[in-house]
């Protein structure tokens, strides 16, 4: 195991924390009568070499700009499709291919999805492939990456096509209230997606198998049962096929729920860190975060569809003739709908991030109470800091962070540790009033 750890350390030069059998706790974060949560947090953050910090800050801050460029580039592509009337021509082509209206909708969707994928390919290539390699986060060669892109496109053509065809049918049959029925349909798609994703979609990209290591598996199942989770298996995914990122997740709905650890986490973290992460994931499960998210999404989609209906009517009354779009029930209006939804999505960024970040913080607190591994939590937070800025300003955290920052998470862990010092050193007191 030791040899493996050393080898791994040599191979993963971006590694911040050392693959170890125990968290490497800095002096100020070790249990003592003068333990101070803020000082312990600073000590954990200071244990990251400044070059590694600068690199992950640059990677994450670059992501702020990519958010803007993605939005502007995507909006420009949609405007191009409308202004050049390419969208109207793709519709005409779909109408020549078949006389069935529902098949025309699907054919148009496929044409548009392929044209858009080609037009946005340069940005996708830079963002998902070259940039990930530039920052040493990717393990994937071009052929394997491109294969994943083609699988994703095939899913868009098939599953997206079904969704689009149904939505167009709703707009045609219910021209006055389509935004309400459309919301209902969108939520049903979302639920079906969440239900089938872990079982049918995720395995298209990675291999999932039950966790092998019996010692870790038993500890995780024991933690699950202690928290009322009727799990009999924990899954392991070969995420190292794509990247070096440490991660775990809970996915599924109505009986397809599962907890999955990625192999980077298993290979690079101490057992304490693995248990801290598992406690966090169980928090998502016990606190019903997936169900809450579906309800939240329903509210957001309803609001977006109401605005979409109004904005499409307005835009088509102004430019519909020029774009050769017959009305809101014309498939060729899709780029306009995408344009409007992307503007709304862009503005929604801080709201969506705050919603998920709040859930993530709740899961952190649950995880600390369940696993009792604040040092493992800090170790995992530093590894996550390889691709997420560790110590941002509060405004950055509010706008751009879909998880709490490393500083916020480690401070929560050290605050927990300050009140539970007796667990780590019998000579110390628990219940320490904050200093
Ligand atoms: Zn989480």
């Amino acid at each position: 195991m030791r040899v493996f750890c050393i080898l791994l350390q040599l191979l993963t030069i971006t590694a911040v924390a050392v693959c170890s059998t125990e968290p490497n706790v800095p002096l100020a974060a070790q249990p003592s009568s003068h333990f101070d949560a803020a000082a312990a947090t600073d000590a954990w953050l200071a244990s990251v070499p400044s070059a590694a910090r600068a690199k992950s800050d640059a990677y994450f801050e670059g992501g702020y700009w990519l958010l803007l460029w993605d939005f502007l580039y995507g909006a420009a592509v949609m405007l191009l499709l409308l202004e050049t009337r390419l969208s109207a021509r793709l519709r005409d082509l779909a109408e020549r291919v078949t006389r069935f209206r529902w098949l025309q909708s699907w054919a148009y969707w496929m044409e548009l999805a392929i044209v858009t994928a080609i037009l946005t390919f340069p940005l996708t290539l830079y963002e998902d492939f070259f940039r990930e390699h530039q920052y040493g986060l990717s393990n994937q060669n071009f052929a394997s990456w491109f294969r994943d892109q083609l699988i994703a496109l095939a899913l868009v053509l098939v599953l997206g096509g079904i969704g689009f065809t149904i939505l167009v049918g709703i707009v045609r049959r219910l021209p006055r209230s389509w935004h309400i029925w459309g919301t209902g349909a969108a939520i049903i798609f979302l639920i079906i997606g969440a239900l089938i994703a872990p079982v049918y979609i995720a395995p298209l990209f990675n291999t999932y198998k039950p966790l092998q290591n019996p010692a870790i598996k038993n500890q995780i199942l024991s933690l699950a049962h202690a928290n009322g989770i009727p799990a009999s298996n924990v899954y392991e995914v070969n995420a190292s096929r794509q990247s070096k990122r440490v991660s775990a997740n809970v996915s599924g709905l109505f009986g397809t729920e599962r907890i999955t650890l990625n192999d980077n986490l298993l290979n690079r973290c101490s057992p304490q860190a693995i248990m801290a992460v598992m406690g966090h994931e169980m928090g998502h499960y016990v606190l019903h975060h997936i169900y809450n998210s579906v309800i939240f999404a329903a509210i957001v989609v309803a609001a977006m569809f109401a605005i979409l209906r109004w904005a499409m009517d307005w835009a088509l009354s102004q430019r519909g003739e020029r774009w050769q779009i017959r009305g809101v029930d014309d498939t060729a209006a899709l780029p306009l709908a995408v344009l409007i939804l992307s503007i709304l999505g862009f503005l929604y960024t801080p709201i969506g991030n705050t919603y998920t970040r709040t859930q993530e913080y709740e899961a952190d607190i649950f995880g600390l109470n369940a696993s009792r591994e604040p040092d493992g939590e800090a170790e995992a937070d530093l590894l996550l800091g390889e691709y997420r800025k560790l110590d941002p300003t509060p405004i950055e955290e509010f706008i751009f962070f879909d998880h709490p920052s490393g500083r916020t998470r480690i401070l929560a862990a050290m605050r927990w540790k300050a009140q539970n010092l007796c667990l780590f050193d019998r000579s110390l007191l628990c219940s320490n009033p904050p200093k």
Side-chain angles (χ1 to χ4, degrees), residues 27 30 57 71 80 88 166 194 310 387 394 418 434:
L27 196 61
Q30 289 176 12
D57 284 0
F71 164 63
L80 183 83
I166 292 172
W310 168 82
Y387 56 88

Side-chain angles (χ1 to χ4, degrees), residues 248 280-281 284 359-360 363 403 409:
H280 169 102
E281 299 305 331
H284 284 310
Q359 282 195 338
E360 295 299 333
H403 282 65
R409 302 181 99 166

Side-chain angles (χ1 to χ4, degrees), residues 74-134:
V77 166
M78 292 304 133
L79 273 174
L80 183 83
L81 289 165
L82 293 168
E83 288 290 327
T84 59
R85 302 186 192 99
L86 183 61
S87 179
R89 274 185 274 161
L90 292 175
R91 172 206 57 211
D92 295 344
L93 177 67
E95 286 176 354
R96 280 199 297 276
V97 171
T98 172
R99 61 189 178 85
F100 296 108
R101 288 193 91 189
W102 67 272
L103 259 184
Q104 290 171 357
S105 301
W106 202 334
Y108 169 84
W109 171 270
M110 296 224 245
E111 293 163 8
L112 192 85
I114 291 168
V115 169
T116 309
I118 293 169
L119 291 174
T120 53
F121 187 72
L123 194 59
T124 310
L125 181 66
Y126 165 69
E127 214 170 295
D128 285 0
F129 187 76
F130 287 119
R131 188 166 182 267
E132 292 297 299
H133 278 275
Q134 188 189 336

